[in-house]
Amino acid sequence: MQKNEIVTVTIEDIGVNGEGIGKINGYTLFIKDAIIGDIVEAKLMKAKKNYGYARLMKIISPSAFRVDPKCAYARKCGGCQIQEMSYEKQLEFKNHKIKGNLERIGGFSSEVISKVMEPIVGMENPFYYRNKAQFPFGTDKEGNPVTGFYAGRTHDIIANTNCSLGVSVNKQILEQILEFMKKFRIKSYDEKTGKGLIRHVLIRYGFTTKEIMVCLIINGKKIPHSDVLIEMLCQIEGMRSITFSSNMKNTNVIMGESYEVLWGQGYITDYIGKIRYQISPLSFYQVNPVQTEKLYELALEYANLKGHETVWDLYCGIGTISLFLAQKARQVYGVEIIPQAIEDAKSNANINEIKNAEFYVGKAEEVLPSYYEEYEKIHGTKAHADVIVVDPPRKGCEETLLKTMVDMHPERIVYVSCDSATLARDLRYLCEHGYTLDKVRGVDQFPMSVHVETVVLLSQI
């Protein structure tokens, strides 16, 4: 196929970035804004040997699963890749994605997968679910400050203060900040020149407590007239924390390394189930509290704790899963590389009066193997865990960590994953080294996007 060629194609699948996937005589095309079931006319923009990227020109026959998006900017914005596909079809697609990766990458047979797969956990209302949002600030053609979200694969800001995935109070907060900036002629940060003050605004909201946090990320050391901004924001019911984080580096990293309190406290609190958490601007905390509770309850169910177990929770963050597990286990050990997260985890354990959870700073890939080696030197016997829970980043686990997990002979391993491809790879290793796949279940943490969480139970053979 040649560049600029016009083709008609039926969309059969969705790619990792949300593009529709169709084939013409075995040649694969990726087409943004097309969904499964569409028949489209597309123009080939980039042609590789076996695949290409095409621009959607028109929809010849819309998919039976196509719906009108709730947000007018759904196509432009990079946040909602599949908002134009019905939610039922989104769930079906995500389940199919998990199954496909288990089969292709994990090497599991379709018969095994059909036995272990449980129905995906969807949402009753798949909108307005995010308790956290980070909004970039920029300047429009008239020189006015604007905020919203980046267009897909760019740093061009789509001006929009009313995201259909975020909580409604975000709009009020953002509009007050924009009003404040206009009043005092405070400039948005310009990535090209490195000038301007306001880079991003982080908003967190406690779904249970209704507490609100606002953190301004600035290209400087202070915010002029901050007393006026504080007065404006404090009129919003539920405001508990107003902070700023200085980030003067030429970087895509949003947050600075620390933050300062302008008003109130440096955190808000919220609950997952019965566990209370303190959340700072730098804390990792799941963005969908409704689904997070379902996810953690599922992990706890798979762990099947009776009260006598020693449990390791790897990549524990601020102790969210650890503290859930500690309610049913004898002892829980959490490991996380980020020092601030471990401080938060310890604080959260104290808040909830949980005494049977200990936390260690370091890479899970280093801490657990080191513990295993030192334990044998000191005690003359091999370290053992009854249950290991692992919730790694998108890249999955390093083989050294998987080997140590196997060496510790846990009766059960609960693997929580945000990437079913690396999950499938790691499950292959574990099932080749003494474990069997018992249960697999998707949890839709991110409706309207292509991402899906997966919870897996493995048992010792």
Side-chain angles (χ1 to χ4, degrees), residues 53-67:
Y53 296 91
R55 178 185 295 161
L56 177 66
M57 304 303 288
K58 67 179 180 181
I59 299 171
I60 296 170
S61 176
S63 167
F65 312 112
R66 180 171 282 279
V67 297

Side-chain angles (χ1 to χ4, degrees), residues 142-176:
E142 286 73 44
N144 296 311
V146 294
T147 187
F149 290 99
Y150 292 130
R153 295 181 292 280
T154 76
H155 271 205
D156 299 329
I157 294 174
I158 300 167
N160 177 24
T161 58
N162 191 22
C163 171
S164 60
L165 300 190
V167 292
S168 59
V169 75
N170 288 351
K171 183 176 189 291
Q172 185 180 358
I173 293 167
L174 294 172
E175 289 180 352
Q176 287 196 347

Side-chain angles (χ1 to χ4, degrees), residues 171-183:
K171 183 176 189 291
Q172 185 180 358
I173 293 167
L174 294 172
E175 289 180 352
Q176 287 196 347
I177 293 170
L178 290 170
E179 181 185 335
F180 165 77
M181 291 173 69
K182 288 176 186 176
K183 181 176 181 179

Side-chain angles (χ1 to χ4, degrees), residues 117-396:
M117 282 285 287
E118 298 184 323
I120 189 169
V121 181
M123 294 196 75
E124 186 176 337
N125 178 16
F127 292 98
Y128 311 115
Y129 61 80
R130 289 187 64 97
N131 59 15
K132 172 192 173 186
Q134 295 173 135
F135 298 88
F137 276 65
T139 308
D140 66 14
K141 292 178 181 178
E142 286 73 44
N144 296 311
V146 294
T147 187
F149 290 99
Y150 292 130
R153 295 181 292 280
T154 76
H155 271 205
D156 299 329
I157 294 174
I158 300 167
N160 177 24
T161 58
N162 191 22
C163 171
S164 60
L165 300 190
V167 292
S168 59
V169 75
N170 288 351
K171 183 176 189 291
Q172 185 180 358
I173 293 167
L174 294 172
E175 289 180 352
Q176 287 196 347
I177 293 170
L178 290 170
E179 181 185 335
F180 165 77
M181 291 173 69
K182 288 176 186 176
K183 181 176 181 179
F184 293 104
R185 298 182 181 179
I186 294 172
K187 299 292 186 182
S188 300
Y189 177 70
D190 186 322
E191 291 181 339
K192 295 176 182 176
T193 65
K195 296 180 179 179
L197 183 66
I198 308 297
R199 297 178 69 132
H200 282 78
V201 168
L202 162 69
I203 303 173
R204 290 185 184 269
Y205 178 79
F207 269 56
T208 301
T209 62
K210 313 301 182 190
E211 294 180 1
I212 301 169
M213 168 193 293
V214 176
C215 180
L216 293 94
I217 295 86
I218 63 172
N219 179 41
K221 297 293 186 182
K222 64 178 182 178
I223 300 172
H225 311 287
S226 60
D227 56 325
V228 178
L229 178 62
I230 290 167
E231 186 178 351
M232 293 170 71
L233 292 176
C234 283
Q235 294 175 19
I236 299 172
E237 186 177 354
M239 190 64 63
R240 292 291 182 272
S241 174
I242 304 173
T243 62
F244 74 89
S245 178
S246 178
N247 182 358
M248 300 173 70
K249 297 179 180 178
N250 181 16
T251 174
N252 286 333
V253 176
I254 294 175
M255 294 294 297
E257 294 176 357
S258 61
Y259 63 91
E260 293 186 35
V261 176
L262 284 174
W263 175 88
Q265 54 203 27
Y267 59 87
I268 60 171
T269 60
D270 203 16
Y271 288 80
I272 301 175
K274 297 178 181 178
I275 304 296
R276 182 170 171 238
Y277 298 93
Q278 278 189 359
I279 310 150
S280 76
L282 297 175
S283 295
F284 171 78
Y285 189 71
Q286 292 278 8
V287 300
N288 186 336
V290 173
Q291 293 298 88
T292 296
E293 184 168 354
K294 296 175 185 176
L295 179 73
Y296 290 178
E297 289 287 2
L298 197 56
L300 190 59
E301 176 192 324
Y302 283 9
N304 192 25
L305 302 173
K306 304 299 183 185
H308 61 269
E309 296 90 353
T310 296
V311 181
W312 281 82
D313 177 19
L314 309 178
Y315 310 96
C316 69
I318 64 169
T320 44
I321 294 182
S322 300
L323 301 184
F324 249 62
L325 297 167
Q327 297 173 95
K328 298 284 184 72
R330 183 183 64 82
Q331 181 67 43
V332 175
Y333 299 102
V335 182
E336 171 59 52
I337 192 172
I338 302 170
Q340 180 61 50
I342 289 296
E343 289 304 310
D344 288 342
K346 291 177 179 178
S347 176
N348 288 327
N350 288 332
I351 290 168
N352 291 280
E353 298 182 347
I354 291 174
K355 309 296 185 185
N356 60 331
E358 293 183 29
F359 297 97
Y360 300 96
V361 177
K363 291 178 67 176
E365 299 86 347
E366 295 173 358
V367 171
L368 195 67
S370 176
Y371 167 86
Y372 183 77
E373 291 175 9
E374 289 298 316
Y375 189 95
E376 186 171 10
K377 289 178 184 177
I378 295 170
H379 299 281
T381 58
K382 295 184 183 297
H384 171 70
D386 298 298
V387 177
I388 293 179
V389 177
V390 58
D391 184 6
R394 196 165 295 281
K395 67 178 182 178

